[in-house]
Amino acid sequence: YMNHLAKYLTMKIIPREYENDLDQIELAIYGMEGLLCNLSTLFVAIILSFIFHTTYEFVLFIFFFIPLRLSYKSFHCSSFLQCLVFSNMIILFASYFIKYVTNIPFLRLICLSLIVANYTLSFEKNKRLHCIEILILYLCSFIDSSLLVIYLISLFINTILILLKKVKIMFKGLFDLLVGFAAVLDVPPSWWILYEPKKPQALKNK
């Protein structure tokens, strides 16, 4: 639905000189869809923060989390509805965590461990970024230790999202392996087992 809305709105505002430029139109639709998804998710998150009285915590979490989210390749949902639900679940969880969890032993050590985990699991292996993260850790400690709770939950969620991205890639790799195995099964003389699974149409048509 969001893609159709993005196409409709984009075609309404497209300048005449770009009407036949399909590449530019496609880029504009992509940008419009991203804008609509972000604004609608943000709108729902703000409404929920008012309902659950976590507006202050929501703003603090977004302030810490968005830079982390933008700095790493991590998990993305396959549909807008999944993104809307999943994102707001994360925001509500983080907001409640910030609001009600205050006394955490070894807080600095846990944050530092999560920074190391972010670096170890990340696709980028950006040392400068991780030095900045350590600097933020010490600045939070110096300014107000309660900021460390916000930083902790932001780092934790970012680590989980990186892990989910890796799991998604792993399952894609498993799928490619199964496709390759199917090609091997399509050559019975070179295989030693006597049973062959029912051949899919894609192999029958080869």
Side-chain angles (χ1 to χ4, degrees):
Y1 173 76
M2 194 60 74
N3 181 258
H4 293 299
L5 179 59
K7 286 180 181 177
Y8 174 78
L9 293 175
T10 303
M11 297 311 293
K12 287 291 183 182
I13 64 172
I14 191 168
R16 185 166 295 177
E17 61 265 28
Y18 290 113
E19 285 180 351
N20 297 318
D21 193 334
L22 297 180
D23 290 337
Q24 291 295 321
I25 291 172
E26 188 178 7
L27 284 172
I29 291 170
Y30 178 73
M32 178 66 80
E33 187 174 2
L35 180 65
L36 291 173
C37 289
N38 278 281
L39 288 177
S40 54
T41 302
L42 179 63
F43 177 74
V44 173
I46 291 170
I47 296 299
L48 289 173
S49 74
F50 281 121
I51 292 171
F52 292 99
H53 307 289
T54 55
T55 307
Y56 175 71
E57 291 77 16
F58 160 68
V59 171
L60 288 173
F61 171 66
I62 290 299
F63 180 78
F64 274 83
F65 179 69
I66 286 181
L68 285 170
R69 177 69 165 156
L70 293 175
S71 300
Y72 292 89
K73 291 178 183 176
S74 59
F75 180 78
H76 287 273
C77 296
S78 56
S79 72
F80 166 68
L81 184 59
Q82 288 177 5
C83 176
L84 184 70
V85 173
F86 191 57
S87 296
N88 280 286
M89 285 174 61
I90 287 174
I91 291 168
L92 272 177
F93 167 73
S95 299
Y96 266 93
F97 186 91
I98 294 165
K99 188 169 185 174
Y100 294 109
V101 179
T102 54
N103 188 19
I104 303 175
F106 309 111
L107 187 52
R108 291 176 185 82
L109 182 60
I110 295 171
C111 285
L112 186 60
S113 300
L114 286 170
I115 290 171
V116 172
N118 268 246
Y119 177 79
T120 305
L121 294 170
S122 70
F123 296 88
E124 299 82 4
K125 297 294 187 290
N126 188 331
K127 292 181 180 179
R128 182 180 298 177
L129 173 63
H130 289 81
C131 288
I132 293 170
E133 289 175 359
I134 293 170
L135 178 62
I136 292 170
L137 171 63
Y138 283 101
L139 284 174
C140 289
S141 303
F142 179 74
I143 296 168
D144 186 350
S145 59
S146 64
L147 294 174
L148 286 174
V149 176
I150 307 164
Y151 197 36
L152 182 146
I153 193 63
S154 301
L155 288 166
F156 175 74
I157 291 172
N158 193 61
T159 304
I160 296 298
L161 292 175
I162 295 171
L163 270 172
L164 287 174
K165 174 78 172 179
K166 284 188 172 286
V167 169
K168 190 176 182 180
I169 291 171
M170 183 185 71
F171 276 111
K172 184 181 182 301
L174 178 61
F175 176 81
D176 292 338
L177 180 66
L178 291 173
V179 171
F181 191 65
V184 173
L185 289 178
D186 195 36
V187 192
S190 66
W191 203 241
W192 64 276
I193 59 173
L194 300 178
Y195 171 75
E196 182 182 3
K198 185 179 178 180
K199 187 174 290 188
Q201 195 64 39
L203 287 177
K204 289 178 181 178
N205 294 336
K206 288 177 64 177

